[in-house]
């Protein structure tokens, strides 16, 4: 059973960089052909795909966030990380990490992913 767990600060100040880590257990992030994604849900809004890193280390980002988002991985720890720079209060959301396939950017529900973490609330406020 694959399990994902998000970790990181729950409060970030405007203009700072948000950094979250997803620790994966029960499966390797290098196993073909999975995509490991970051997604978020702002209060009162739907799910938003932020980006994905593939089993081979390739990255893909939402066009609206591409200039601020960066996803990397540490295969020795079986973790992948999201960094989102220059945050504003509009980046306040519940952030999830999840495993999906090549169509991950089109998923609109958590249930579309094979596995997902419990989510972590991130608030951007001074």
């Amino acid at each position: 059973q694959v399990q994902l767990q998000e970790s990181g600060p729950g409060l970030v100040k405007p203009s700072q960089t948000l950094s979250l880590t997803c620790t994966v257990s029960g499966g390797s992030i290098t196993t073909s052909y999975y995509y490991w994604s970051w997604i978020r849900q702002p209060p009162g809004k739907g799910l938003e795909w932020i980006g994905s890193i593939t089993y081979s280390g390739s990255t893909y980002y939402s066009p609206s966030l591409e200039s601020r988002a960066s996803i990397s991985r540490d295969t020795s720890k079986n973790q992948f990380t999201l960094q989102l720079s220059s945050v504003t209060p509009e980046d306040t959301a519940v952030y999830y990490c999840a495993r999906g396939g090549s169509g991950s950017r089109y998923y609109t529900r958590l249930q579309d992913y094979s596995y997902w973490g419990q989510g972590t609330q991130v608030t951007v406020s001074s």
Side-chain angles (χ1 to χ4, degrees):
Q1 179 79 359
V2 175
Q3 294 183 315
L4 297 90
Q5 179 67 58
E6 305 90 350
S7 60
L11 180 64
V12 183
K13 288 183 167 52
S15 80
Q16 292 188 341
T17 295
L18 178 163
S19 185
L20 296 174
T21 296
C22 183
T23 301
V24 179
S25 59
S28 172
I29 62 172
T30 62
T31 299
S32 304
Y33 297 96
Y34 297 120
Y35 284 51
W36 302 88
S37 299
W38 285 100
I39 47 186
R40 67 183 184 180
Q41 187 163 23
K45 297 184 179 180
L47 212 60
E48 178 183 21
W49 175 74
I50 300 170
S52 302
I53 186 164
T54 73
Y55 58 96
S56 63
S58 298
T59 52
Y60 302 90
Y61 300 101
S62 166
S64 64
L65 295 169
E66 187 168 17
S67 63
R68 299 193 293 127
S70 178
I71 299 175
S72 59
R73 66 179 185 172
D74 186 335
T75 57
S76 67
K77 295 181 180 179
N78 216 35
Q79 295 175 332
F80 61 105
T81 298
L82 168 70
Q83 291 195 310
L84 188 65
S85 63
S86 304
V87 297
T88 71
E90 285 66 43
D91 293 308
T92 294
V94 178
Y95 285 74
Y96 298 92
C97 57
R99 191 192 84 175
S102 57
S104 292
R105 71 181 67 194
Y106 304 115
Y107 299 167
T108 58
R109 308 174 306 161
L110 278 177
Q111 294 85 343
D112 293 332
Y113 293 86
S114 302
Y115 298 96
W116 58 92
Q118 64 182 23
T120 186
Q121 172 70 46
V122 176
T123 301
V124 179
S125 174
S126 55

